[in-house]
Amino acid sequence: MRISKALTIAGSDSGGGAGIQADLKTFQELEVYGMSAITAVTAQNTLGVQGIFPLTVEAVIDQIKSVGADLHPNAVKTGMLFNSEIIEAVAHAIKKEKMAKVVVDPVMIAKGGSPLLLEESVDTLKKKLIPIAFCITPNIPEAEKLVGFKIVSLEDRKRAAKTIFDLGAKSVVIKGGHDDGNEVTDLLFDGNTYHLFSSPRIDTKHTHGTGCTFAAAVTAELAKGKSILEAVETAKSFIHAAIEDSLGIGAGHGPTNHMAYRNRKVNV
Ligand SMILES: Nc1ncnc2c1ncn2[C@@H]1O[C@H](COP(=O)(O)OP(=O)(O)OP(=O)(O)O)[C@@H](O)[C@H]1O
Ligand SMILES: Cc1ncc(CO)c(N)n1
């Protein structure tokens, strides 16, 4: 059996709904072998982030090197990177290991408001990581930080996607979870065309880790050799099912159900 392989370079969420844990669960559900390089350990649950413990640059680099030297991932995802030193080290290690199909989820702030990236590190992200991204998946507030203007209309969002594309990413998805309205629309710009992916907005507070899960699904599909258009389409279906069938655990913003997409396929 030839299995596709994906590496996530991200923070650990002790609550299991976001970060490394969400990524590995998503890879597994999409039948991709998952590997991890942990950048920071967070003490976190559905109520918020209680502690952040970044790893040393050496620890982060060594994990990426170990995976690169032996397991050769078909695609890579980055999530919480926390500071400029880690961003630079990750960008350098990805290039050195010649890893391709890099999906950058520019994680900045957790749902409860805790910073998962230092404010001063946004510039490093733009200069070092975006130029090597095959795809970048900001939500609306993250995209605003990257481009420096407010995103209100669809035209603003298209202009923002083009601006981020011009920083060097091969494709850009600006997610619509933070927009309002009855529909949630994600916008993909692949350098030529703007594609819209819409679904009904699910009325729920259980959206912890939706961004990580969506980007991990894109990464898994790219690892299998799918096009960016196909990968985003599958990721949108995956996250919609995961939110719709959420597990209802924890007293705050609960996690999504990573098993929902597979269960639905099995039951049709
Ligand atoms: N209420 C909702 N109903 C349906 N789909 C949603 C909802 N909220 C988010 N999504 C989908 O989930 C994905 C993630 O979008 P979102 O903008 O919430 O990301 P995010 O803010 O990065 O998430 P995170 O909470 O992990 O930081 C997108 O594909 C979006 O369309
Ligand atoms: C570790 C980690 N990464 C990303 C997010 C964003 O959802 C989070 N809450 N925690």
Side-chain angles (χ1 to χ4, degrees):
M1 175 188 185
R2 246 184 69 105
I3 182 111
S4 302
K5 297 160 284 179
L7 167 67
T8 169
I9 305 171
S12 164
D13 168 11
S14 54
I20 288 278
Q21 288 78 0
D23 295 345
L24 292 177
K25 289 173 193 180
T26 304
F27 293 165
Q28 181 84 9
E29 290 296 322
L30 290 169
E31 297 180 17
V32 167
Y33 180 78
M35 299 162 280
S36 62
I38 297 179
T39 55
V41 172
T42 71
Q44 191 175 171
N45 55 28
T46 67
L47 298 169
V49 179
Q50 291 83 39
I52 295 181
F53 308 90
L55 267 65
T56 62
V57 162
E58 191 189 6
V60 176
I61 293 181
D62 277 5
Q63 294 173 80
I64 300 170
K65 260 196 197 165
S66 294
V67 172
D70 183 35
L71 290 152
H72 315 297
N74 304 104
V76 181
K77 169 184 180 284
T78 69
M80 173 189 180
L81 298 173
F82 193 62
N83 62 35
S84 299
E85 295 71 43
I86 294 179
I87 295 171
E88 288 192 19
V90 165
H92 187 253
I94 286 175
K95 280 190 273 187
K96 199 153 177 240
E97 298 300 327
K98 298 189 170 53
M99 290 176 177
K101 296 194 193 163
V102 181
V103 176
V104 174
D105 184 18
V107 171
M108 294 185 190
I109 296 175
K111 282 255 144 67
S114 298
L116 301 176
L117 177 73
L118 302 178
E119 186 80 33
E120 73 253 25
S121 300
V122 173
D123 220 43
T124 314
L125 194 76
K126 284 167 72 170
K127 291 202 177 104
K128 304 284 177 176
L129 205 55
I130 296 184
I132 62 166
F134 181 73
C135 178
I136 177 164
T137 61
N139 61 25
I140 290 175
E142 289 159 354
E144 287 177 339
K145 277 261 189 296
L146 294 174
V147 299
F149 59 82
K150 277 266 164 219
I151 299 171
V152 182
S153 64
L154 180 61
E155 281 316 304
D156 297 337
R157 216 179 327 164
K158 286 184 175 173
R159 186 159 68 94
K162 172 76 170 71
T163 306
I164 298 169
F165 178 84
D166 288 340
L167 292 172
K170 300 279 178 298
S171 59
V172 182
V173 181
I174 304 186
K175 299 167 295 184
H178 295 249
D179 214 353
D180 42 30
N182 297 332
E183 297 251 295
V184 190
T185 302
D186 300 338
L187 171 75
L188 163 67
F189 180 56
D190 59 12
N192 290 309
T193 311
Y194 296 96
H195 305 269
L196 296 178
F197 300 83
S198 292
S199 65
R201 180 178 295 278
I202 302 158
D203 184 16
T204 176
K205 62 173 183 164
H206 300 306
T207 53
H208 178 75
T210 50
C212 305
T213 301
F214 173 82
V218 171
T219 310
E221 293 302 301
L222 291 176
K224 292 179 194 167
K226 297 287 164 61
S227 70
I228 187 64
L229 197 61
E230 291 168 320
V232 173
E233 208 163 84
T234 300
K236 179 75 177 158
S237 303
F238 189 96
I239 192 61
H240 190 82
I243 298 171
E244 203 159 51
D245 296 356
S246 65
L247 302 163
I249 58 175
H253 292 291
T256 67
N257 179 354
H258 294 95
M259 293 172 273
Y261 179 80
R262 174 169 48 93
N263 284 341
R264 287 180 185 196
K265 282 186 100 174
V266 168
N267 293 326
V268 287

